[in-house]
């Protein structure tokens, strides 16, 4: 039997893909939006509310939920990475699953309907499969020596071929140029799945892959991983391997704090930069040239990163921090970064991230003030924490 049609009405509907609709109505059948219109009757009236697409957190590490993040970052990036590695070594598989579950639940409470999770062994896909949220799960691959690289590649290949959940899209993440051989990047690029990599995150990374010097180089020497000829040679080498004009799959470059703006012309049409504003802030990075990247036509998506460098997994708080740091960016543009742009980089373009016919019925309803103009409504969404928030995922209230 076909699912019955029903509809939701709100003072403002913000489809993102198309202009806002006052007194908008969204018609739903099963898990899908079948129409968006202005005015007329609806089966459910949300009154003075705004309806936005379900929120998309394009980059997180669910398995680091609960990480005891210090108040200030350690002296060097290499120190921070060492702490993360030590945490992972201490963790049992059960503790890791618990952290993932906690991260999923926390994300859902913040209105997230689609996640991009970097999973060190792909374990989050089994947790997410039974939750009311969708995700692109990136099996992480890394290794500077051949043995480690082969081991991670075969684990990832086995994992990719075993995935079949309707709400999980399997993907691959070469970790970062300081930990991942060139041939692993090339392998990731040869697969027809979404890819994400951390890139140009710190000066230490740039010093290592450009000159072979700095604290990260020392750390890798101490671990007997250097010297190696297999590490990407500079940022442009990674771009050539993964993010060139010929890449066809969605590619997310995470952080890209020190990616030269001149790189914009060499990035393929499927490349998105993933910015994590509160992580950026915690590490005390230089201001991110967001407006310049937007002007260069490069899409930006938002992520929370993991709790090893971020207070929580609240993607709207990232949007809010971004708005405070970049008051020159219109709120509607910021909303795109945590909805439609996130969905695109995660490989869900046309299915998630917008309120439009044929998309999943994923949306967040936020109560608003009846006298507010649309500009005020959007500003309030980013400035003050929503008092009440309800999330519909695939046509059902969560
Ligand atoms: Zn990350």
């Amino acid at each position: 039997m076909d699912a019955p049609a029903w509809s939701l009405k709100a003072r403002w509907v913000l489809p993102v893909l198309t202009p806002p609709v006052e007194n908008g109505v969204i018609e739903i059948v099963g898990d899908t939006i079948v129409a968006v219109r202005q005015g007329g009757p609806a089966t459910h009236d949300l009154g003075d509310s705004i309806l936005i697409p379900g929120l998309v957190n394009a980059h997180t590490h669910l398995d680091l939920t609960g990480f005891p993040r210090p108040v200030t970052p350690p002296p060097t990036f290499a120190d921070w990475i060492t702490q993360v590695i030590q945490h992972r070594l201490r963790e049992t598989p059960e503790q890791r699953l618990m952290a993932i579950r906690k991260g999923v639940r926390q994300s859902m409470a913040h209105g997230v309907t689609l996640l991009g999770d970097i999973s060190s062994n792909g374990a989050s896909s089994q947790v997410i499969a039974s939750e009311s949220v969708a995700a692109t799960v990136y099996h992480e691959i890394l290794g500077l020596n051949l043995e480690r690289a082969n081991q991670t590649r075969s684990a990832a290949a086995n994992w990719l071929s075993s995935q079949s959940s309707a709400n999980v899209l399997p993907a691959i993440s070469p970790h970062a140029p300081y930990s991942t051989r060139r041939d692993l990047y090339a392998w990731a690029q040869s697969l027809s799945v979404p890819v994400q990599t951390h890139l140009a995150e710190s000066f230490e990374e740039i010093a290592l892959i450009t000159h072979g010097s700095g604290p990260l180089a020392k750390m890798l020497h101490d671990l007997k991983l250097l010297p190696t000829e297999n590490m990407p040679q500079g940022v442009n080498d990674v771009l050539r391997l993964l993010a060139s004009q010929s890449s066809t799959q969605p590619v997310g470059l995470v952080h890209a704090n020190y990616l030269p703006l001149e790189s914009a012309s060499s990035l393929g049409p499927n490349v998105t930069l993933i910015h994590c504003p509160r992580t950026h802030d915690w590490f005390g990075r230089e201001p991110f040239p967001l407006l310049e990247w937007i002007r260069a036509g490069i899409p930006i998506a938002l992520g929370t990163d993991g709790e090893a460098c971020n207070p929580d997994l609240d993607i709207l708080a990232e949007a809010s921090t971004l708005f405070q740091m970049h008051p020159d960016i219109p709120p509607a543009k910021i909303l795109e970064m945590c909805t439609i742009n996130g969905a695109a980089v995660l490989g869900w373009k046309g299915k998630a991230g917008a309120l439009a016919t044929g998309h999943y019925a994923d949306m967040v309803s936020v109560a608003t003030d009846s006298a507010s103009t649309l500009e005020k409504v959007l500003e309030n969404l980013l400035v003050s924490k929503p008092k009440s928030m309800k999330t519909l995922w695939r046509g059902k209230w969560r």
Side-chain angles (χ1 to χ4, degrees), residues 59-61 80 118 175 196 198 201 254-255 276 305-306 309:
H59 177 81
T60 188
H61 300 256
W80 178 75
I118 310 296
H175 171 247
Q196 273 191 25
H198 299 91
E201 182 173 3
V254 186
H255 303 304
C276 305
D305 220 332
C309 52

Side-chain angles (χ1 to χ4, degrees), residues 7-15 19-27 35-51 355 363:
S7 52
L8 269 174
K9 186 174 189 171
R11 169 81 198 288
W12 289 105
V13 170
L14 275 57
V21 186
E22 189 164 10
N23 296 315
V25 176
I26 299 181
E27 294 179 16
V36 179
R37 61 178 158 87
Q38 184 171 40
T43 46
H44 293 70
D45 192 343
L46 296 166
D48 287 324
S49 297
I50 52 168
L51 271 176
L355 301 177
M363 60 201 86

Side-chain angles (χ1 to χ4, degrees), residues 170-205:
I172 286 288
S173 175
H175 171 247
Y178 56 85
S179 63
T180 309
R181 289 165 63 96
R182 296 183 83 253
D183 50 293
L184 284 180
Y185 274 98
W187 180 64
Q189 210 267 339
S190 73
L191 304 167
S192 302
V193 299
V195 175
Q196 273 191 25
T197 191
H198 299 91
L199 184 66
E201 182 173 3
S202 65
F203 271 133
E204 291 171 43
E205 174 191 327

Side-chain angles (χ1 to χ4, degrees), residues 224-388:
K224 307 213 178 332
L225 292 169
L226 286 186
T228 173
E229 283 161 13
N230 302 302
M231 184 182 279
Q233 302 296 305
V235 167
N236 286 335
D237 194 24
V238 178
L239 297 183
R240 271 192 300 275
L241 286 164
L242 202 63
S244 67
Q245 296 285 343
S246 61
S247 328
T248 50
Q249 74 267 62
V251 174
L253 302 179
V254 186
H255 303 304
N257 298 325
Y258 302 102
L259 188 65
L261 275 161
E262 306 85 80
S263 318
S265 58
S266 64
L267 299 181
N270 298 325
V271 177
T272 297
L273 302 190
I274 303 177
H275 182 48
C276 305
R278 290 184 300 167
T279 295
H280 194 91
D281 189 42
W282 185 69
F283 277 114
R285 308 272 182 229
E286 287 171 28
F288 187 67
L290 194 64
L291 201 56
E292 287 81 351
W293 284 114
I294 293 172
R295 283 184 182 142
I298 307 300
I300 310 284
L302 295 187
T304 59
D305 220 332
E307 286 193 356
C309 52
N310 208 314
D312 55 48
L313 308 182
D314 181 353
I315 193 68
L316 211 48
E318 297 297 330
S320 176
T321 301
L322 186 87
F323 186 51
Q324 285 159 36
M325 288 172 157
H326 301 270
D328 45 349
I329 313 268
K333 202 90 204 143
I334 297 177
L335 189 62
E336 287 176 10
M337 297 178 197
C338 54
T339 54
I340 196 163
N341 292 2
V345 70
L346 297 182
W348 296 77
K349 193 174 179 177
K351 294 306 284 177
L355 301 177
T357 303
H359 283 59
Y360 283 121
D362 297 349
M363 60 201 86
V364 173
S365 155
V366 181
T368 184
D369 166 1
S370 62
S372 282
T373 60
L374 178 62
E375 288 68 31
K376 264 268 141 321
V377 162
L378 268 169
E379 229 178 272
N380 282 348
L381 185 68
L382 296 181
V383 172
S384 44
K385 232 181 154 34
K387 284 191 283 290
S388 75

